Amino acid sequence: MDKMTKNACLKYHSLKMLMTLDLNKAVEALATEYGDSFSLDISLMDDAERERCMEISGAVAIVSERFWILEKEDGGGLVRRRDLEKKIVDEGQK
């Protein structure tokens, strides 16, 4: 196998927030970035991650980040790809 398969993870805040995401644009952006060989895990954020994505305004919780794109490095670490997140949101709103 000549090509290295890139591994990405889409972590979402809640199912409701995931359904507001243009998943077609998300997959298109990932395919454009990684080429024809990538894998995508989709998983729910844990409680601590969800807390980091929320702001409290009075008695109302506001979700500021519906999802994250994390890229798995060869050493096993994760790198957040804010550039891809922005591209997916921007392209999905057209």
Side-chain angles (χ1 to χ4, degrees):
M1 185 167 172
D2 296 334
K3 294 182 182 181
M4 291 277 300
T5 299
K6 286 291 192 175
N7 296 303
C9 180
L10 186 153
K11 302 236 13 192
Y12 62 93
H13 185 271
S14 66
L15 184 57
K16 183 177 181 180
M17 292 291 109
L18 179 63
M19 294 295 95
T20 66
L21 179 63
D22 186 334
L23 294 173
N24 289 329
K25 289 295 179 184
V27 171
E28 181 181 356
L30 293 170
T32 300
E33 178 70 16
Y34 299 130
D36 59 2
S37 185
F38 73 95
S39 66
L40 176 63
D41 295 328
I42 300 174
S43 63
L44 181 65
M45 292 177 180
D46 62 30
D47 290 341
E49 292 168 332
R50 281 195 297 273
E51 277 188 33
R52 288 198 309 255
C53 293
M54 295 175 61
E55 300 168 12
I56 304 298
S57 177
V60 177
I62 300 168
V63 176
S64 57
E65 298 173 337
R66 298 177 285 166
F67 70 99
W68 294 341
I69 297 291
L70 303 172
E71 186 176 295
K72 296 177 184 174
E73 295 182 312
D74 294 336
L78 296 173
V79 175
R80 185 159 174 206
R81 293 291 309 267
R82 292 178 190 263
D83 59 323
L84 288 176
E85 295 168 10
K86 181 176 178 354
K87 182 176 183 177
I88 291 165
V89 170
D90 291 348
E91 292 292 319
Q93 292 179 355
K94 289 185 178 177

